[in-house]
Amino acid sequence: MREWIERDKSAIWHPFTPLMGMVDPLMIERAEGVNLYTADGKKIIDAISSWWVNIHGHSHPKIANAIAEQAHQLEHVIFAGFTHQPAVELAERLLSILPDNQSKIFYSDNGSTAVEVGIKMAFQYFYNQGIKKKKIIAIDGAYHGDTFGAMSVGERGPFTEPFDPYLFDVAFVDFPSKEKEEAVWNQFEALVSAGDVAAFVFEPIVQGASGMRVYSKALLNRMIALAQANDVICIADEVMTGFGRLGTLFAADQLQNKPDIFCLSKGLTGGVLPMGVTSCTDKIQAAYRSNDLMKTFFHGHSFTGNPMICAAANASLDILLTEECEENRKRINRRHLAFGEQIEKHHLVRNSRVMGTIIAFEINTDKDTSYFNEARHHLYPYFIEKGLLIRPLGNVIYLIPPYIISDEDLDYIYQTILSFLDEYDSLAAVSAD
Ligand SMILES: *Cc1c(COP(=O)(O)O)cnc(C)c1O
């Protein structure tokens, strides 16, 4: 196994991983349900759905079989001028579960490209009508992906700094935390009434990468209403929130006002194969329905609409739409709520919040910042040591498990978090002496 790690280190550049001082990656040999198994036989419970994508558990036989069958029949075909049953079925099924105002599906490769397509669709919607609108509004702290358009509409920070000169201008409103709701509304109103706003991009209800931050549905509803009244295209990035993550199939199911464009990925294929989807309303397509060839949406990827990936997504939808899956999401939500109440009382914990199948809380860093910065470095290895994959965002610990996770596994995870807090508590007491 050592040899494989060395070969990895000499050949592979891993995502979000420094080349120097890199911790040895874990070799995973197989995975089943919520469990990952390392090459040396250790079991690790995947409490974060492998980067928030896996909703039905690993190596799901139904999805695996669907991919295998499709691979033997039609593995890939160019998607311009050609089509196939799995793609048509998937598009129809997605439209049947998305809000009623959605009427067309555009396929791409991942979450970032789903957002790129959404932004390009919105810009060209105006271009095709000869309307000059240039501005785009986003929310502070947003994460929409790592390609240039997606980076442009996301939070600017250390990760984007080398590229900042190349990112297009975006008007950011503050993150609408409780105290800031009215201020954010005023910022938004001022921007929209200035007139040349083409689009408003947002992660509905929960911002994922900025630390599972929740904001007001009522405010988002008002923002969408104002935007739409001013012909500003509302782009909902449901890459993380889609496919049941917040309980409902989509976050927008919890909003009265429905966005114009949806960006989907992560859970779309059950987290098994990469795929992006951008859906839009009839109003948006109408600007492209023209005999003028120049009004075509000239965008596509080599693997757009790949049949095996569509088959995986169809199989994942079969599972997602069962009563059992809905029950599981409700069960996780109930368990999270109870744990949230329990953990909130711990003096090292603040702002615990539950959104559907996600629970997040902050380790209280007020007491001794340097110590708890240190603690963050210990946190990930501590949980791995206990057979748990948890990957904190700064001082935010969160769980975003596959929906099939058992009560026993949830209990073990909750218990391990409590032990972690208690151990750090006693360590902190020692270091204060
Ligand atoms: C993960 C994520 C993306 C990017 O998706 P990739 O598939 O990693 O490119 C975009 N938006 C949100 C909200 C995400 O959580």
Side-chain angles (χ1 to χ4, degrees), residues 120-139:
K120 286 177 72 174
M121 244 180 211
F123 283 158
Q124 195 180 338
Y125 163 81
F126 292 110
Y127 176 89
N128 281 359
Q129 300 173 85
I131 299 170
K132 290 209 160 53
K133 284 203 191 197
K134 199 164 169 281
K135 220 179 263 158
I136 184 159
I137 304 178
I139 300 178

Side-chain angles (χ1 to χ4, degrees), residues 136-175:
I136 184 159
I137 304 178
I139 300 178
D140 260 348
Y143 179 74
H144 296 292
D146 285 341
T147 53
F148 272 87
M151 271 197 295
S152 294
V153 293
E155 167 86 5
R156 310 293 166 87
F159 292 4
T160 61
E161 200 177 300
F163 318 107
D164 280 353
Y166 313 102
L167 303 183
F168 58 75
D169 276 344
V170 170
F172 286 95
V173 294
D174 288 341
F175 179 79

Side-chain angles (χ1 to χ4, degrees), residues 52 140-143 175 203 207-213 353 393 396:
W52 317 353
D140 260 348
Y143 179 74
F175 179 79
E203 296 159 88
Q207 267 189 353
S210 76
M212 300 296 167
R213 296 196 293 178
R353 57 229 179 226
L393 290 160
V396 178

Side-chain angles (χ1 to χ4, degrees), residues 16 51-53 109-115 142-147 150 202-204 206-209 212 236-241 263-266 274-276:
F16 294 103
W51 249 343
W52 317 353
V53 298
D109 294 349
N110 54 62
S112 304
T113 56
V115 172
Y143 179 74
H144 296 292
D146 285 341
T147 53
F202 52 92
E203 296 159 88
V206 183
Q207 267 189 353
M212 300 296 167
D237 177 353
E238 292 231 25
V239 169
M240 190 276 285
T241 53
C263 310
L264 309 172
S265 186
K266 293 200 164 107
M275 176 179 248

